[in-house]
Amino acid sequence: MTQPAQWLRPEVLQGSAYHVADSRGMIKLDAMENPYDLPAGLRSAWAANLSGAALNRYPDPQARKLQLLLRQSLALDADTGLLLGNGSDELIQLLCMAVASPGRSILAPTPTFVMYKLLAECLGLRFIGVPLAANFALDGAAMLAAIAQHQPAIVWLAYPNNPTGNLFDAAAIYAILRAAPGLVVLDEAYSAFSDGHSFLGEIGRYPNLLVMRTLSKQGFAGLRLGLLAGPQNWIAELDKLRLPYNINVLTQLSVHFLLQNANVFAQQAQQILSERQRLFTALGQLPGIQPYPSQANFILLRTAAGRASAIHAALKTRGILIKNLDQAPGLKDCLRVTVGTAEENDAFLQAMESLI
Ligand SMILES: *Cc1c(COP(=O)(O)O)cnc(C)c1O
């Protein structure tokens, strides 16, 4: 009988799938989603807009109308290339595929977004993780030393970083941009919640700088749209690897329609920011809990030694799902909670109080 082990690459057999917890019926504070619904009026206008979709036809392979709107809203100049992905996960995969060859490596500070490692290793790339300092700051000297030693094809920098929530020091990032022999990708997935400056405006100043964004954390997680901006020469090459119709017609129409109401999502982001502040203050008052300051729509917190998994499990029995990071390297005793609605955050805080 033909067995998977006979034919599948060792990277596939040894890898494990990205685990998504079952969240049915739970207060879902584990995945950095925007907790707010579309206002009812906007929802019906959106549905009416979608009803005109040509489902029998392939979507526009370049998503030109959507590209144009995104270019405007991000204020990209004419020399900047733009590549759209089915979520930024697809763009991470595409970048890995583009550089994968024997002996090549990918580098990132750790802990960081797990897909950088997972997708690199699946393609046979070596993943080099450079530990962050104890306060989760970038260890600039260690990064430069590892870059010099390993000559990575790509350096990933999540800005702000997931799951730590902080921004890295800009001067250290510029030093990396100057030192890296390959690409440096600034992943600005949480830019809507951050007061750090964006690297979008620096595209072209560094020939190796790409900037990635996603609409997932702002309220469009279900539509799957990520984007990669960078010098035209890079984007044109990478575009050869993109599947022709990777952005489906419903996503193209929906994002185009909803971005014209960007103020709705900006207001929701403001609410998330004020809830983040409230959550941070309340968590800091719980004995044994240390929340870390965040520039994103989640908060990383450290529990008393050895308590994280029990707290995570007890929250789950109370119908509240957050992320347990206790087993993640560098994150012993850590949990991550996404900022929800005021009611969801209250439920979470009440459960935490009764558990601690
Ligand atoms: C959530 C996240 C992504 C993935 O976003 P999608 O566009 O939903 O695939 C990418 N990078 C970071 C740092 C994230 O936290």
Side-chain angles (χ1 to χ4, degrees):
M1 212 171 71
T2 310
Q3 294 294 330
Q6 185 185 355
W7 289 104
L8 298 183
R9 291 183 291 114
E11 294 85 357
V12 177
L13 294 167
Q14 283 152 24
S16 42
Y18 181 79
H19 174 70
V20 178
D22 186 358
S23 60
R24 283 171 293 181
M26 308 274 272
I27 293 179
K28 194 169 185 311
L29 302 176
D30 67 325
M32 282 80 91
E33 292 144 326
N34 173 344
Y36 299 108
D37 261 340
L38 284 182
L42 188 56
R43 178 173 288 276
S44 49
W46 164 71
N49 181 267
L50 280 190
S51 70
L55 297 180
N56 56 323
R57 301 292 176 193
Y58 284 107
D60 176 354
Q62 315 297 344
R64 275 165 299 194
K65 211 171 157 216
L66 178 56
Q67 280 245 3
L68 211 63
L69 183 65
L70 287 167
R71 297 188 72 91
Q72 281 166 3
S73 73
L74 298 171
L76 300 185
D77 60 36
D79 328 322
T80 299
L82 182 63
L83 187 67
L84 304 186
N86 190 338
S88 46
D89 285 348
E90 188 185 44
L91 296 168
I92 300 170
Q93 183 183 49
L94 187 147
L95 276 159
C96 288
M97 285 195 300
V99 301
S101 63
R104 288 268 178 95
S105 65
I106 302 283
L107 186 145
T110 52
T112 191
F113 187 48
V114 293
M115 294 305 282
Y116 305 149
K117 179 173 194 276
L118 201 147
L119 292 169
E121 289 183 341
C122 190
L123 287 159
L125 287 153
R126 210 152 43 95
F127 179 83
I128 313 288
V130 179
L132 293 170
N135 62 355
F136 303 131
L138 212 51
D139 183 342
M143 287 292 289
L144 294 180
I147 287 167
Q149 183 188 347
H150 299 286
Q151 301 283 301
I154 301 172
V155 176
W156 289 106
L157 295 170
Y159 184 84
N161 190 36
N162 170 15
T164 57
N166 59 316
L167 288 166
F168 297 136
D169 176 47
I173 295 175
Y174 289 118
I176 290 167
L177 277 164
R178 285 188 296 267
L183 287 172
V184 177
V185 187
L186 268 288
D187 180 351
E188 298 185 340
Y190 298 97
S191 59
F193 313 104
S194 153
D195 51 28
H197 97 297
S198 169
F199 283 80
L200 274 177
E202 319 259 349
I203 289 171
R205 252 175 253 171
Y206 297 86
N208 57 345
L209 168 66
L210 299 179
V211 178
M212 196 167 72
R213 291 263 182 112
T214 175
L215 299 187
S216 293
K217 314 292 154 71
Q218 273 153 280
F220 301 79
L223 292 173
R224 310 300 297 131
L225 191 82
L227 59 94
L228 186 68
Q232 283 287 6
N233 62 332
W234 280 104
I235 297 297
E237 293 298 328
L238 294 168
D239 195 43
K240 296 177 186 171
L241 278 176
R242 185 180 60 82
L243 295 175
Y245 306 110
N246 66 329
I247 312 299
N248 75 71
V249 65
L250 298 181
T251 297
Q252 290 191 30
L253 285 174
S254 297
V255 176
H256 190 272
F257 177 80
L258 293 171
L259 278 188
Q260 289 171 321
N261 296 278
N263 60 320
V264 170
F265 301 96
Q267 272 166 23
Q268 292 179 343
Q270 282 310 310
Q271 275 177 281
I272 290 168
L273 290 187
S274 72
E275 279 298 303
R276 179 180 76 192
Q277 181 56 48
R278 188 171 76 87
L279 201 52
F280 180 81
T281 307
L283 284 168
Q285 284 159 2
L286 294 177
I289 298 292
Q290 182 195 1
Y292 291 95
S294 171
Q295 291 279 321
N297 63 342
F298 59 83
I299 294 176
L300 182 76
L301 54 110
R302 203 179 282 273
T303 68
R307 293 276 293 129
S309 290
I311 292 173
H312 177 261
L315 286 169
K316 210 163 164 181
T317 64
R318 286 167 163 77
I320 299 168
L321 187 64
I322 67 169
K323 181 85 175 171
N324 184 6
L325 294 164
D326 186 40
Q327 300 297 317
L331 294 173
K332 178 127 195 54
D333 304 316
C334 285
L335 301 169
R336 187 192 64 200
V337 60
T338 302
V339 180
T341 62
E343 298 72 35
E344 290 171 333
N345 300 331
D346 283 341
F348 166 70
L349 287 169
Q350 272 164 23
M352 286 292 282
E353 265 168 46
S354 71
L355 287 169
I356 281 164

